[in-house]
Amino acid sequence: MLAPYACHPETSRGRLFEERMSTFRSPFQRDRDRIIHSSAFRRLKHKTQVFVEYEGDYYRTRLTHSIEVAQVARTIAGVLGLNTELAEAVALAHDLGHTPFGHAGEDALAELMQPYGGFDHNAQALRIVTRLERHYADFDGLNLTWEALEGIAKHNGPVVGPFAGHGEPSGPLPYALTEANAMWDLELSTFASAEAQVAALADDIAYTHHDLHDGLRSGLFTEKELEGLPVTGPAFEVVDRLYPGLDRMRRRHEALRRVFGAMVEDVIAVAQNRLREAQPASPEDIRAMDRMVVRFSEPFVQELKAVRSFLFSHMYRAPSVMAERRRVTAVLHDLFPLFLSRPEHLPEDWRAAPDLAEDDVALARIVADYVAGMTDRFALQEHARLFGGAPPSVAGDLT
């Protein structure tokens, strides 16, 4: 039973290109299914989360991360009476625009694209689902519903206007976002649906939880260090009290699943209280609010800041991670200028893009689309093919 403030499929604003309704799937189920079957979604299997994809089979990739985000989103959406299919669709699509090599790759491509309008992975996800997936006879992209596109565009909050997360943008919006919004007004100054807000918080929950797991497995920090932090410390205390003498791996798992549960429970409790206070009667009431309805409580935000600060210093900026970051960044700094100056090295279907020869900006954006779509391993293989070798740390991993 959906709440009145949920996005009901029968009142969806529809698709940019009109299609017949499915006889057995709702519009949001079709969105989800199209995302899962897209080429961009499959490529997430070999894209970095924190550790470069070849570094180990146990670490999360963008694909496993997206699946975990979708699972969390479905759980929270179900408790709140929201549309679980829409929440899941936005969750599964939120990282489609990520480059190879995670945030290191995004930073490198943003720098390289700075003269041509920049690069942003959220905006690139919109470009993928509206233009770059070219499998259907009647349209480019996936022809997702307005609600799904809105969720991808602004699941983290309004992009412009008084409620934009970091204030009004100081410069132009990412070109991919501007392009998608010109096709169909996504109302960038308002909040997204509650389902999209759930997907955003599910992302925060999933990456915090699994980065703690992966950081421990990699040896970048220890359980003892986590015992001194808020949220994680109390979780270990509970496990030690309930299961004295538990072996290390079970103790770790039991503690971190309690951290996971604490995050989910806090988000649900806050959302329920805010919904009870605001009494929204429609999705439009959610969009018109002056703040996110789905978020962590302020005390919990402060506790999570300490955990994320620890992850930043001990994991994301660990010397070994930074060394690999510099190596893989060099790969993109080699590939992008080569394709830009010699587009004949692009695959034939990319060279046939109708706007390839319009001007330097159009060419750069096509090159960015191609490079951003690469997996970690393909980028390394292309670098080896075109430059006669891979970075020293990864050359042996290509065999």
Side-chain angles (χ1 to χ4, degrees):
M1 187 73 177
L2 294 180
Y5 48 78
C7 287
H8 292 245
E10 62 272 16
T11 58
S12 168
R13 300 192 195 185
R15 305 180 189 277
L16 187 60
F17 300 96
E18 188 174 350
E19 298 182 56
R20 286 189 304 173
M21 289 287 290
S22 170
T23 56
F24 54 89
R25 288 181 298 169
S26 77
F28 303 141
Q29 286 177 302
R30 292 181 84 181
D31 287 345
R32 177 200 61 200
D33 296 347
R34 287 179 178 183
I35 291 163
I36 290 172
H37 288 282
S38 68
S39 299
F41 186 74
R42 290 195 299 275
R43 288 196 298 270
L44 296 180
K45 176 183 178 183
H46 297 298
K47 290 195 177 190
T48 293
Q49 180 63 27
V50 174
F51 297 99
V52 178
E53 181 266 331
Y54 57 73
E55 291 187 286
D57 291 338
Y58 285 102
Y59 301 127
R60 267 71 170 192
T61 66
R62 285 286 162 192
L63 179 62
T64 57
H65 165 70
S66 296
I67 293 170
E68 291 181 33
V69 174
Q71 177 266 313
V72 179
R74 284 191 67 92
T75 297
I76 296 174
V79 173
L80 298 178
L82 300 172
N83 190 295
T84 56
E85 283 80 19
L86 177 59
E88 184 180 23
V90 176
L92 291 170
H94 85 283
D95 269 354
L96 289 179
H98 255 294
T99 63
F101 313 127
H103 288 289
E106 179 175 12
D107 292 345
L109 198 52
E111 179 184 347
L112 291 161
M113 281 292 292
Q114 197 278 329
Y116 310 104
F119 180 87
D120 174 83
H121 81 267
N122 282 325
Q124 187 68 11
L126 276 175
R127 188 164 164 88
I128 287 169
V129 301
T130 57
R131 289 197 60 182
L132 298 182
E133 287 286 327
R134 291 168 179 156
H135 305 295
Y136 296 89
D138 294 324
F139 47 79
D140 286 340
L142 304 180
N143 201 29
L144 302 180
T145 61
W146 184 90
E147 290 80 6
L149 294 176
E150 177 212 29
I152 298 169
K154 54 183 185 176
H155 56 275
N156 290 318
V159 179
V160 297
F163 303 123
H166 302 287
E168 281 286 346
S170 57
L173 294 175
Y175 67 88
L177 177 59
T178 301
E179 179 184 71
N181 194 59
M183 294 170 61
W184 205 358
D185 183 7
L186 299 175
E187 301 177 2
L188 298 180
S189 64
T190 66
F191 286 92
S193 66
E195 285 84 355
Q197 295 182 35
V198 164
L201 265 293
D203 183 26
D204 289 351
I205 291 168
Y207 84 71
T208 301
H209 174 250
H210 63 53
D211 285 359
L212 290 167
H213 264 290
D214 287 352
L216 286 172
R217 179 175 287 279
S218 69
L220 290 175
F221 49 82
T222 66
E223 288 89 343
K224 191 69 177 175
E225 291 173 288
L226 295 184
E227 289 168 16
L229 295 174
V231 186
T232 55
F236 277 101
E237 289 176 9
V238 170
V239 173
D240 289 343
R241 185 174 68 251
L242 295 176
Y243 305 100
L246 193 64
D247 72 78
R248 182 185 178 191
M249 295 302 290
R250 290 178 188 268
R251 178 176 181 262
R252 173 190 299 178
H253 182 81
E254 284 292 332
L256 293 186
R257 78 185 187 95
R258 282 166 170 77
V259 172
F260 178 87
M263 290 189 286
V264 172
E265 289 168 7
D266 184 80
V267 167
I268 289 173
V270 169
Q272 287 176 328
N273 287 336
R274 290 186 172 176
L275 290 166
R276 194 177 301 116
E277 292 170 2
Q279 292 292 305
S282 69
E284 284 65 38
D285 287 349
I286 295 287
R287 295 185 177 102
M289 292 176 73
D290 60 358
R291 57 179 177 168
M292 299 275 277
V293 72
V294 183
R295 61 176 300 167
F296 293 114
S297 65
E298 285 305 317
F300 206 82
V301 166
Q302 297 308 311
E303 293 185 338
L304 283 179
K305 279 184 179 178
V307 175
R308 288 169 178 167
S309 176
F310 175 87
L311 285 171
F312 185 86
S313 61
H314 287 71
M315 186 175 184
Y316 311 143
R317 291 297 180 266
S320 60
V321 173
M322 291 302 293
E324 197 60 31
R325 180 187 176 99
R326 288 189 291 271
R327 294 184 183 103
V328 298
T329 296
V331 170
L332 297 191
H333 275 275
D334 285 342
L335 289 175
F336 183 88
L338 175 67
F339 291 129
L340 194 61
S341 62
R342 300 182 62 186
E344 67 269 18
H345 284 296
L346 291 168
E348 183 177 352
D349 54 337
W350 285 85
R351 294 199 304 271
D355 49 352
L356 183 66
E358 284 183 5
D359 53 35
D360 290 344
V361 172
L363 173 59
R365 291 176 178 179
I366 289 170
V367 172
D369 291 337
Y370 179 60
V371 172
M374 290 179 169
T375 63
D376 294 4
R377 61 177 59 183
F378 182 67
L380 294 169
Q381 288 167 350
E382 283 294 273
H383 189 275
R385 181 179 68 84
L386 295 167
F387 291 92
S393 68
V394 298
D397 293 285
L398 296 176
T399 58

Short mmCIF file of all heavy atoms in Angstrom, two decimals, residues 14 59 74 79 89 95 110 119-120 157 163 200 202 228 253 282 299 360 374 392 398:
data_model
loop_
_atom_site.label_atom_id
_atom_site.label_comp_id
_atom_site.label_asym_id
_atom_site.label_seq_id
_atom_site.Cartn_x
_atom_site.Cartn_y
_atom_site.Cartn_z
N GLY A 14 5.18 10.23 -17.20
CA GLY A 14 5.39 9.52 -18.45
C GLY A 14 6.82 9.58 -18.97
O GLY A 14 7.76 9.87 -18.23
N TYR A 59 37.02 -7.12 -2.93
CA TYR A 59 36.67 -5.72 -2.76
C TYR A 59 35.47 -5.34 -3.63
O TYR A 59 35.25 -5.89 -4.69
CB TYR A 59 37.87 -4.83 -3.12
CG TYR A 59 39.10 -5.12 -2.29
CD1 TYR A 59 40.32 -5.39 -2.89
CD2 TYR A 59 39.03 -5.13 -0.90
CE1 TYR A 59 41.45 -5.66 -2.13
CE2 TYR A 59 40.15 -5.41 -0.13
CZ TYR A 59 41.36 -5.67 -0.75
OH TYR A 59 42.47 -5.95 0.00
N ARG A 74 15.46 -0.24 -1.32
CA ARG A 74 14.19 -0.98 -1.29
C ARG A 74 13.70 -1.16 0.14
O ARG A 74 12.50 -1.01 0.42
CB ARG A 74 14.35 -2.35 -1.95
CG ARG A 74 14.41 -2.35 -3.46
CD ARG A 74 14.28 -3.77 -4.01
NE ARG A 74 12.97 -4.32 -3.74
CZ ARG A 74 11.94 -4.24 -4.57
NH1 ARG A 74 12.07 -3.62 -5.73
NH2 ARG A 74 10.77 -4.78 -4.26
N VAL A 79 9.51 0.50 4.10
CA VAL A 79 9.07 0.89 5.44
C VAL A 79 8.30 2.21 5.41
O VAL A 79 7.33 2.40 6.14
CB VAL A 79 10.28 0.98 6.39
CG1 VAL A 79 9.86 1.56 7.74
CG2 VAL A 79 10.94 -0.37 6.58
N ALA A 89 15.29 1.83 -8.99
CA ALA A 89 15.76 2.29 -10.29
C ALA A 89 16.77 3.42 -10.15
O ALA A 89 17.84 3.42 -10.78
CB ALA A 89 14.59 2.73 -11.16
N ASP A 95 25.27 5.53 -10.31
CA ASP A 95 26.70 5.52 -10.63
C ASP A 95 27.00 5.15 -12.08
O ASP A 95 28.16 4.87 -12.42
CB ASP A 95 27.44 4.55 -9.70
CG ASP A 95 27.96 5.23 -8.44
OD1 ASP A 95 27.84 6.47 -8.34
OD2 ASP A 95 28.49 4.53 -7.55
N ALA A 110 37.60 15.39 -15.21
CA ALA A 110 37.08 16.73 -14.99
C ALA A 110 38.14 17.78 -15.31
O ALA A 110 37.85 18.83 -15.91
CB ALA A 110 36.61 16.88 -13.55
N PHE A 119 33.33 17.87 -16.37
CA PHE A 119 32.78 16.51 -16.31
C PHE A 119 32.27 16.26 -14.91
O PHE A 119 32.92 16.60 -13.92
CB PHE A 119 33.85 15.47 -16.66
CG PHE A 119 33.34 14.05 -16.61
CD1 PHE A 119 32.74 13.49 -17.73
CD2 PHE A 119 33.41 13.29 -15.45
CE1 PHE A 119 32.23 12.19 -17.70
CE2 PHE A 119 32.91 12.00 -15.40
CZ PHE A 119 32.33 11.45 -16.53
N ASP A 120 31.09 15.65 -14.82
CA ASP A 120 30.47 15.30 -13.55
C ASP A 120 29.77 13.97 -13.72
O ASP A 120 28.99 13.79 -14.67
CB ASP A 120 29.46 16.38 -13.15
CG ASP A 120 28.67 16.01 -11.91
OD1 ASP A 120 29.18 16.23 -10.80
OD2 ASP A 120 27.55 15.48 -12.07
N GLY A 157 19.66 16.53 -3.84
CA GLY A 157 19.03 17.81 -3.52
C GLY A 157 18.94 18.72 -4.73
O GLY A 157 19.46 18.40 -5.81
N PHE A 163 17.67 26.36 -2.21
CA PHE A 163 17.89 25.15 -1.43
C PHE A 163 18.98 24.25 -2.02
O PHE A 163 19.15 23.13 -1.57
CB PHE A 163 16.58 24.37 -1.31
CG PHE A 163 15.46 25.17 -0.71
CD1 PHE A 163 14.27 25.34 -1.40
CD2 PHE A 163 15.60 25.79 0.53
CE1 PHE A 163 13.23 26.10 -0.87
CE2 PHE A 163 14.58 26.55 1.07
CZ PHE A 163 13.39 26.70 0.37
N ALA A 200 19.61 8.32 -2.35
CA ALA A 200 20.80 9.09 -1.97
C ALA A 200 21.32 8.65 -0.61
O ALA A 200 22.52 8.46 -0.42
CB ALA A 200 20.48 10.58 -1.97
N ALA A 202 20.69 5.79 0.85
CA ALA A 202 21.12 4.39 0.72
C ALA A 202 22.55 4.32 0.20
O ALA A 202 23.33 3.45 0.62
CB ALA A 202 20.18 3.63 -0.21
N GLY A 228 37.73 2.78 18.80
CA GLY A 228 37.83 4.10 19.40
C GLY A 228 36.95 5.16 18.75
O GLY A 228 37.00 6.33 19.14
N HIS A 253 32.30 -9.06 11.31
CA HIS A 253 31.04 -9.03 10.56
C HIS A 253 29.88 -8.66 11.47
O HIS A 253 29.01 -7.85 11.09
CB HIS A 253 30.79 -10.39 9.92
CG HIS A 253 29.53 -10.43 9.10
ND1 HIS A 253 29.45 -9.95 7.81
CD2 HIS A 253 28.27 -10.87 9.41
CE1 HIS A 253 28.23 -10.09 7.36
NE2 HIS A 253 27.49 -10.65 8.30
N SER A 282 1.09 14.51 -1.30
CA SER A 282 1.43 14.14 -2.67
C SER A 282 2.94 14.22 -2.86
O SER A 282 3.63 14.84 -2.04
CB SER A 282 0.74 15.08 -3.65
OG SER A 282 1.33 16.37 -3.56
N PRO A 299 22.58 14.42 15.52
CA PRO A 299 23.59 13.74 16.34
C PRO A 299 24.31 12.62 15.58
O PRO A 299 25.52 12.44 15.72
CB PRO A 299 22.78 13.19 17.53
CG PRO A 299 21.58 14.06 17.60
CD PRO A 299 21.26 14.41 16.19
N ASP A 360 35.68 21.54 -31.77
CA ASP A 360 36.56 20.90 -30.79
C ASP A 360 35.79 20.48 -29.54
O ASP A 360 36.11 19.46 -28.93
CB ASP A 360 37.70 21.85 -30.41
CG ASP A 360 38.70 22.05 -31.53
OD1 ASP A 360 38.69 21.24 -32.48
OD2 ASP A 360 39.49 23.02 -31.46
N MET A 374 34.89 3.48 -20.29
CA MET A 374 35.86 2.38 -20.18
C MET A 374 35.81 1.73 -18.80
O MET A 374 35.58 2.40 -17.79
CB MET A 374 37.28 2.89 -20.43
CG MET A 374 37.57 3.29 -21.85
SD MET A 374 39.29 3.90 -21.98
CE MET A 374 39.46 3.99 -23.76
N PRO A 392 54.00 0.67 -14.34
CA PRO A 392 54.78 -0.44 -13.79
C PRO A 392 54.03 -1.29 -12.78
O PRO A 392 54.17 -2.50 -12.76
CB PRO A 392 55.95 0.28 -13.13
CG PRO A 392 56.06 1.57 -13.85
CD PRO A 392 54.69 1.95 -14.27
N LEU A 398 48.01 -7.52 -16.38
CA LEU A 398 47.31 -7.57 -17.65
C LEU A 398 47.46 -8.91 -18.32
O LEU A 398 46.82 -9.16 -19.34
CB LEU A 398 47.82 -6.46 -18.57
CG LEU A 398 47.55 -5.04 -18.09
CD1 LEU A 398 48.18 -4.04 -19.04
CD2 LEU A 398 46.06 -4.78 -17.99
#
